[in-house]
Amino acid sequence: MSAAVYRQPLPLPQASWRRRLEVFSPKLDRRLSLGSYQAWRCWVALEANPAVSNFCERPARVAGKNSAQIDFWVQLHADTRGEFWLLDDGRDDATDQGPAANKQAPPPRQLHERPVRLITAEILASWDIPVANWAQILPYLVSFRRYRDALLEQSLVVHLARFTSLDELIAAFSDHDASQVQASLFGLLASGR
């Protein structure tokens, strides 16, 4: 399967008890529906990583029509094929993954000829601080995505040649709205600049 196949997510499984988190991805410029807080944390980590060029939630099924869904397909700038992320929440039951899911079996190393990365509870716990920070940054990126000011961003890059606190930066650019300065700063951060 080509990477273009993994641009559209599979539908979120239907269940009256199922959690549904609706978010907007500035990196993909579209809305995402996530089924757990673990998936939400992964999404925030993907948005925060400037090396990630593209991703898709629920890109495919593990084996067939009734098998578990793969949680994410992730493509880095240097990798054209991408890799799959499977969330391991540590539960022994497979109630929300379908009958083909087996939490006791080790995860496969490859699915659909792509490598698989298992995202364990320990990995998610190690992301707690960056995820908390990016959860506060993402609303700025979403709100100001259509109002980027290239001149302001370049001025910020020049001003940030030396260590500057956020308060000092906002004061130095007091002719701009504070939210706009923060959004430009966070946009630079998200793009890896």
Side-chain angles (χ1 to χ4, degrees):
M1 295 180 131
S2 72
V5 173
Y6 302 120
R7 306 291 174 155
Q8 290 295 319
L10 295 174
L12 198 62
Q14 297 293 321
S16 60
W17 52 267
R18 187 146 185 83
R19 175 177 289 126
R20 184 182 191 116
L21 302 169
E22 297 288 329
V23 296
F24 186 87
S25 169
K27 197 170 271 190
L28 300 178
D29 199 30
R30 69 172 174 84
R31 192 176 82 189
L32 282 73
S33 294
L34 304 172
S36 69
Y37 285 113
Q38 291 84 358
W40 178 83
R41 285 180 172 144
C42 283
W43 165 71
V44 172
L46 291 169
E47 290 289 343
N49 189 345
V52 173
S53 63
N54 204 351
F55 62 90
C56 183
E57 74 283 14
R58 298 179 316 281
R61 294 201 175 268
V62 171
K65 183 177 180 181
N66 292 326
S67 68
Q69 292 181 342
I70 297 169
D71 295 298
F72 287 95
W73 166 74
V74 179
Q75 183 180 29
L76 302 176
H77 287 291
D79 181 18
T80 57
R81 292 170 23 103
E83 67 182 7
F84 291 124
W85 285 15
L86 292 177
L87 293 171
D88 178 21
D89 59 8
R91 293 185 305 173
D92 291 332
D93 62 34
T95 54
D96 46 329
Q97 295 296 325
N102 185 351
K103 295 292 185 178
Q104 300 300 327
R109 292 181 181 249
Q110 283 202 331
L111 288 171
H112 308 291
E113 301 176 4
R114 284 173 176 71
V116 173
R117 180 176 180 196
L118 183 66
I119 307 297
T120 62
E122 293 80 21
I123 291 172
L124 286 172
S126 72
W127 294 348
D128 279 349
I129 292 173
V131 165
N133 290 337
W134 276 89
Q136 295 179 34
I137 291 171
L138 282 168
Y140 287 93
L141 298 179
V142 171
S143 298
F144 285 88
R145 72 185 188 282
R146 293 189 180 141
Y147 306 105
R148 293 189 67 182
D149 185 344
L151 184 58
L152 175 60
E153 287 181 7
Q154 188 58 39
S155 299
L156 288 174
V157 168
V158 171
H159 194 81
L160 291 171
R162 62 177 176 72
F163 177 79
T164 305
S165 71
L166 182 58
D167 290 335
E168 292 171 345
L169 193 66
I170 291 171
F173 291 91
S174 59
D175 55 327
H176 292 86
D177 181 63
S179 295
Q180 184 181 19
V181 173
Q182 287 178 290
S184 295
L185 175 66
F186 297 149
L188 290 169
L189 185 62
S191 65
R193 292 180 60 200

